[in-house]
């Protein structure tokens, strides 16, 4: 793990970009002398890790006392892109906006992306937990499909917050019952890209004994800010 | 409004029983020199206001800085009971436990109870807001059907937290779209007495632009304690 840049913010949070082989990532750590719990933050459908809304969330959690790490998924953010991926992503966006069924694109494009992303998250987890300033336990926040596949495979994930989840590849829908850690499942009631009933069915399918659903009125990007606070309270119950 | 008993608890909360004509009630107020916001706490299906779980919730909110008031609904708690009411309540409980449809009992028994209860809550609200230690704004917490009917009629209610809501009389299901204040709608995912889909449909029906759904795994009485904290944070956003 090579740190490639470093910036100290006004609130004391240290933001460092890193590379781990081919994988670019960012780590935010609080101004704290003691090792902190870690939250892995993955972004739905491979949004670039430097998307401002997502960076704001990461910095908020770091200011609350967590180490927060994110990496770009294969073909996303700062990583080499292929024309085929760009085409698939454009097709997916167009179909979602048109309200057309997207299951086929999800299976052929997002499914393999999830399969490729999870081993990289596990590699990143190994490297992050070897840093002296990070102690665990480890939470996961964000991209539902990656979180399901990761939590099903990775016993070090102690709690997870998932967002949206209306469209999830079939393999992860089936894996949901194997996820048994405490969950906070957040959805937007009128999410134009995530059918509500599918998201509710996925919440129902998780094997966890402790699972909480939060839903708010509005579309995909309309999540109210207090859900960020609620998310940190959730992690506070399970990671601190 | 006549206070009939007074008890100061260790946490500074003052608990006073009162009568308002024929209506018995209890008021909890925090140890505070400044007038406080008020939460009206009504209990699903007319549970006695001294039910220990409900008293614990009221005292928690009072310790957080709210005045909390509750009254017994007609025929409930300390009020004169009729054999017909007792029979209807027993029928309702038996039918719910057996998983039989209860709409008819709801229309004939709970519907009129809601109609009788709401004017009493408005009378209580007048009396409570005339006390120097209570300033408003006013929130409502608990029994969904009474809360809908009250919020639709009473502009002084600024925010409401509703619980369960799988069975609600038809008149209140239809009134839900007239409720436009910020809402926190709490349900238990496996509530044996409150069909999940009906509760979700009711959440969908409210006219409020700001509405949040919280659902947790488990049966009717299994709500996790952190929802109490979340409820007070909700009221904190809207009443403080």
């Amino acid at each position: 793990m090579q740190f490639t840049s470093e910036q100290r913010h006004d609130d004391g949070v240290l933001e460092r970009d890193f590379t781990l082989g081919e994988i670019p990532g960012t780590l935010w750590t609080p101004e704290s002398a003691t090792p902190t719990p870690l939250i892995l933050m993955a972004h739905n459908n491979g949004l670039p890790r430097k998307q401002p809304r997502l960076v704001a969330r990461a910095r908020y959690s770091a200011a609350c006392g967590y180490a927060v790490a994110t990496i770009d998924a294969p073909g996303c953010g700062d990583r080499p892109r292929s024309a085929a991926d760009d085409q698939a992503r454009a097709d997916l966006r167009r179909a979602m906006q048109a309200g057309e069924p997207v299951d086929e694109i999800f299976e052929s494009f997002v499914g393999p992306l999830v399969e490729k992303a999870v081993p990289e998250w596990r590699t990143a987890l190994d490297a992050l937990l070897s840093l002296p300033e990070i102690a665990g336990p480890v939470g996961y926040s964000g991209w539902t499909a990656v979180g399901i596949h990761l939590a099903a495979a990775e016993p070090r994930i102690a709690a997870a917050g998932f967002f949206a989840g209306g469209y999830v590849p079939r393999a992860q829908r089936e894996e949901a019952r194997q996820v048994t850690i405490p969950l906070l499942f957040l959805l937007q009631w009128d999410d134009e890209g995530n059918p509500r009933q599918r998201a509710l069915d996925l919440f129902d399918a998780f094997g966890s004994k402790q699972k909480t659903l939060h839903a708010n009125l509005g579309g995909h990007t309309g999540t109210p800010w207090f859900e960020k606070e609620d998310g940190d309270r959730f992690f506070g119950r399970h990671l601190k």
Side-chain angles (χ1 to χ4, degrees), chain A:
Chain A
M1 183 174 229
Q2 301 277 332
F3 287 107
T4 57
S5 76
E6 176 172 322
Q7 186 183 2
R8 175 77 68 179
H9 294 290
D10 292 345
D11 54 5
V13 169
L14 182 64
E15 176 175 335
R16 285 174 286 177
D17 284 338
F18 63 82
T19 56
L20 193 65
E22 296 173 358
I23 312 165
T26 303
L27 172 64
W28 294 265
T29 44
E31 197 169 35
S32 162
T34 53
T36 57
L38 172 65
I39 297 174
L40 305 178
M41 195 174 275
H43 304 320
N44 274 14
N45 198 12
L47 276 180
R49 75 185 198 285
K50 301 212 164 169
Q51 212 271 357
R53 204 159 42 94
L54 311 174
V55 169
R57 279 174 42 205
R59 285 187 51 185
Y60 176 86
S61 293
C64 291
Y66 300 94
V68 181
T70 186
I71 57 176
D72 279 329
C76 302
D78 291 341
R79 299 180 72 168
R81 310 166 79 90
S82 74
D85 282 2
D86 284 348
Q87 185 60 50
R89 202 165 272 123
D91 290 348
L92 182 60
R93 198 165 36 236
R94 191 201 51 73
M96 279 180 137
Q97 280 167 355
E100 294 169 10
V102 297
D103 287 287
E104 213 169 295
I105 309 177
F106 254 77
E107 294 310 319
S108 63
F109 173 60
V110 179
L113 185 58
V114 169
E115 297 283 343
K116 280 180 278 185
V118 165
E120 296 191 346
W121 276 103
R122 301 186 77 177
T123 301
L125 183 54
D126 291 338
L128 291 159
L129 286 176
S130 73
L131 297 173
E133 62 269 41
I134 298 178
V138 183
Y140 173 93
S141 173
W143 188 357
T144 304
V146 164
I148 292 171
H149 199 43
L150 181 62
E154 178 52 80
R156 289 176 292 182
I157 306 290
F162 294 144
F163 178 58
Y167 282 116
V168 162
R170 190 182 306 115
Q172 277 69 59
R173 288 204 302 276
E174 287 169 5
E175 250 178 336
R177 78 195 60 177
Q178 297 172 40
V179 174
T180 56
I181 54 175
L183 291 185
L184 178 61
F185 190 82
L186 175 63
L187 65 89
Q188 285 292 96
W189 198 244
D190 311 294
D191 190 332
E192 51 282 12
N194 281 278
R196 184 192 301 163
Q197 191 56 51
R198 285 193 179 209
L200 295 172
D201 290 346
L202 182 62
F203 175 72
D204 198 46
F206 286 111
S208 308
K209 291 274 177 283
Q210 291 181 61
K211 54 182 175 181
T212 300
L213 169 72
H214 283 192
N216 289 281
L217 208 67
H220 188 74
T221 59
T223 302
W225 181 256
F226 59 76
E227 288 293 351
K228 187 75 203 85
E229 298 166 0
D230 284 4
D232 280 300
R233 288 161 51 81
F234 166 78
F235 285 120
R237 290 196 293 275
H238 298 291
L239 303 186
K240 279 188 170 169

